[in-house]
Amino acid sequence: MAAVVFIAGWDLLGAQGLKPERQLTSSTLFDLVKLSFGVVAGAGALVALVVAYRRQRVDEDGAHREATRLHTERFSQAVEQLGSDSPAVRLGGVHALAGLANDAPTRDLRQTCIDVLCAYLRLPYTAEADLPSGDTDARHMYLALREIRHTVIRLIRDHLRLPPEHPHSWQGHDLDFTGVVFDGGDFSGATFSGGTVRFSYAAFSGGRVSFDGAEFSGGTVDFGGVVFSDSIVDFEGAAFSGGTVRFTSAVFSGGLVSFGTEFSGGTVAFDYAQFLGGTVTFDDATFWNGTVNFNHAAFLGSTVSFNHATFLDGTVNFDHANGSAPSRLVPSGGRLPTGLSLPQVWYPPTP
């Protein structure tokens, strides 16, 4: 090793323009020794740096494995709580999962916690209207389970209210409410941005569900096949911008659904929707710079109003909309874009 260093040092000295000498003087030998020690010290430092880097990587990998192991243990405990017969224990499991999502070491593990919370809402659920008459115990259990479900909705909403840069924000994650029975709940002020949000075939039956001031931007939000019956669903002040929002084949069969909403950019589709009863309002809604489709929609008994709605720089399509019992279109104060033709199935209300 010393010989190699010596030769390397000698060559380096030659490369620096030192004249070769037949005899090594004490001065040259001293310079060569200093250079040799410098080369050895530099090589040692490089080796130490590599070793330190590898040790750091090993420590980081070990810490990550330990964090994942602890997360898995806590996750298993929380899921076990959700399966308890005690509503109080289930409620504890809900809060444990929400906290675990916040502490998750990776985005995928956070998504898993969110998936389980959404899956809990998708479990079979007996609505109040279907409870056995006079069964006090059944009603008490219903109220306890409803409290748990509304807590899940509230926790999801609270995390969707946080700005995306917040470490506990759930914006951009997927949310799957497919087939969920909503008999109340508050999503007001939530921001559904990026990711995929599914309310497909959900049932809004009874109670009040608020999307007041919610923002739907980017990504895909799917309300396809949703049934609105005997409930109040409020989209007042909500904003749909960019991305795609689908109410395709939705059924409005009762209650009140209000869309005092801003539709801007992207596409909102009510294609093949069925307005069979109740009231659907687009009062004070703004449609601009985007596309809203009511193609093949069926208006068979609902009251549909567009009071003071504004249509600007966008496209609203009613192609092949039809109905045998005309719904009422009330465009008082509304401003319709040039060339927009409304289907003949709609008529102003009788004075």
Side-chain angles (χ1 to χ4, degrees), residues 204-279:
F204 292 84
S205 59
R208 181 177 185 271
V209 181
S210 175
F211 292 92
D212 182 39
E215 295 184 14
F216 300 85
S217 60
T220 299
V221 181
D222 191 355
F223 285 89
V226 165
V227 177
F228 297 95
S229 63
D230 300 323
S231 61
I232 298 174
V233 183
D234 178 11
F235 289 91
E236 292 295 320
F240 295 91
S241 60
T244 300
V245 181
R246 289 194 288 261
F247 287 88
T248 308
S249 300
V251 177
F252 300 84
S253 61
L256 169 64
V257 183
S258 56
F259 290 98
T261 302
E262 180 180 291
F263 299 94
S264 62
T267 300
V268 180
F270 289 90
D271 299 328
Y272 296 96
Q274 300 180 58
F275 297 83
L276 306 178
T279 300

Side-chain angles (χ1 to χ4, degrees), residues 156-185:
I156 292 174
R157 177 208 65 192
D158 289 347
H159 286 86
L160 292 177
R161 284 179 173 178
L162 297 174
E165 64 273 12
H166 193 285
H168 296 164
S169 175
W170 293 0
Q171 290 188 34
H173 284 276
D174 297 336
L175 298 166
D176 190 355
F177 303 111
T178 302
V180 170
V181 176
F182 290 98
D183 57 353

